[in-house]
Amino acid sequence: MAKKVAIIQSNYIPWKGYFNIIKDVDEFVLLDDVQYTRRDWRNRNIIKTRYGLKWITIPVEVKGRFDSKINEVEAFGEEWRTQHWNQLSDAYKEAPFFELYKDVFKPLFLNDTEKKISIINYKFIVAINNLMGITTPIRWSSEFSTTQDKTNRLISICKSLNADEYISGPAAKSYLNEAEFHKHHIQVRWANYDGYKEYPQLYPPFVHGITILDLLFNQGENAKDFLKTSI
């Protein structure tokens, strides 16, 4: 059976498609030693409120450098933790399963003191995996000795993990050299985010591309049924 691997930057409380990829592979690698990108998903995501969609963003400190790696970037201050928890509580307090999961997420916001964005994201991802019954091992790209070229870096990691198949989000089509993967006998498969089922969601109309916390708070233990069998 082919071994499937995905290598993706960490995101802050990601949407369900992110977790579908984790579920669908044999090993998942957080790409943490590449350049941090501003105004991206590394430090922010979207929640749904009675007033519409709202970004919640971790303020970050990159020390004036535009070439900082993701694993070097730190959250600025601690106020964001209380703000984000209060915003989530206000938005989802009427959701059917908010009380069920409140004690899982509240400590990650209010009791944790981690500064590194990559570790903050990792802690949320692990907690959500546990709730969704996702057992895929998670590694860090910084564990591997790789080249700087985008495609060859990914190929090197895949080869280190003996991967036969590389699963990628569709956004990577703009830079990934699929032919190079084929030279190394690694098949590239692009994630397909079409066909997700809708679920009862607060504050219509329905929106797919928001944090998976929306799915968990609205569907509880049934949340896993709203991931696709294969992406």
Side-chain angles (χ1 to χ4, degrees):
M1 183 179 292
K3 182 176 181 179
K4 296 182 288 186
V5 168
I7 307 166
I8 304 176
Q9 297 97 323
S10 69
N11 289 356
Y12 180 48
I13 48 175
W15 81 301
K16 59 193 171 191
Y18 190 98
F19 289 94
N20 224 142
I21 289 180
I22 300 177
K23 179 182 75 70
D24 203 36
V25 298
D26 299 297
E27 288 197 70
F28 184 79
V29 180
L30 289 167
L31 190 61
D32 68 323
D33 59 346
V34 295
Q35 184 175 341
Y36 174 81
T37 49
R38 297 169 184 262
R39 298 184 178 276
D40 214 333
W41 299 101
R42 309 293 84 77
N43 66 316
R44 65 178 187 166
N45 219 300
I46 301 170
I47 64 173
K48 202 168 190 222
T49 79
R50 61 178 59 83
Y51 308 108
L53 301 181
K54 181 176 179 58
W55 287 96
I56 55 172
T57 303
I58 303 174
V60 297
E61 186 172 16
V62 293
K63 300 177 181 175
R65 303 200 315 274
F66 291 97
D67 60 346
S68 296
K69 295 179 180 178
I70 296 171
N71 58 14
E72 296 172 337
V73 175
E74 296 187 351
F76 180 77
E78 296 290 338
E79 291 183 0
W80 67 270
R81 292 184 173 279
T82 302
Q83 291 171 353
H84 288 194
W85 178 247
N86 289 343
Q87 288 169 319
L88 278 164
S89 298
D90 183 62
Y92 292 105
K93 62 187 177 185
E94 296 178 8
F97 298 95
F98 176 75
E99 288 296 322
L100 178 63
Y101 294 136
K102 180 175 68 174
D103 291 340
V104 174
F105 294 106
K106 187 176 180 179
L108 289 175
F109 284 101
L110 302 186
N111 298 346
D112 196 71
T113 58
E114 180 58 54
K115 292 289 188 182
K116 297 285 189 182
I117 287 293
S118 56
I119 304 297
I120 292 169
N121 292 346
Y122 171 78
K123 289 183 177 183
F124 277 101
I125 289 167
V126 168
I128 294 166
N129 278 349
N130 289 338
L131 295 177
M132 298 291 288
I134 298 171
T135 59
T136 305
I138 296 178
R139 307 280 295 272
W140 298 93
S141 62
S142 52
E143 296 177 33
F144 303 92
S145 176
T146 61
T147 63
Q148 293 304 306
D149 173 78
K150 287 183 178 180
T151 293
N152 285 319
R153 176 194 297 271
L154 302 177
I155 291 171
S156 177
I157 295 172
C158 285
K159 290 176 68 176
S160 295
L161 295 173
N162 299 312
D164 304 291
E165 193 170 340
Y166 175 67
I167 313 300
S168 177
K173 288 184 179 181
S174 63
Y175 68 82
L176 190 142
N177 187 337
E178 195 168 344
E180 283 297 314
F181 277 84
H182 293 165
K183 288 180 183 178
H184 294 274
H185 308 290
I186 301 169
Q187 181 67 36
V188 176
R189 181 156 65 85
W190 300 102
N192 181 354
Y193 296 133
D194 296 333
Y196 278 114
K197 297 184 295 182
E198 295 186 4
Y199 53 88
Q201 189 181 63
L202 298 176
Y203 320 123
F206 187 89
V207 179
H208 281 291
I210 57 180
T211 174
I212 198 171
L213 295 185
D214 184 274
L215 174 58
L216 284 165
F217 292 152
N218 281 295
Q219 286 298 306
E221 294 179 355
N222 294 327
K224 60 182 180 293
D225 298 333
F226 290 86
L227 297 185
K228 296 167 68 172
T229 303
S230 176
I231 200 166

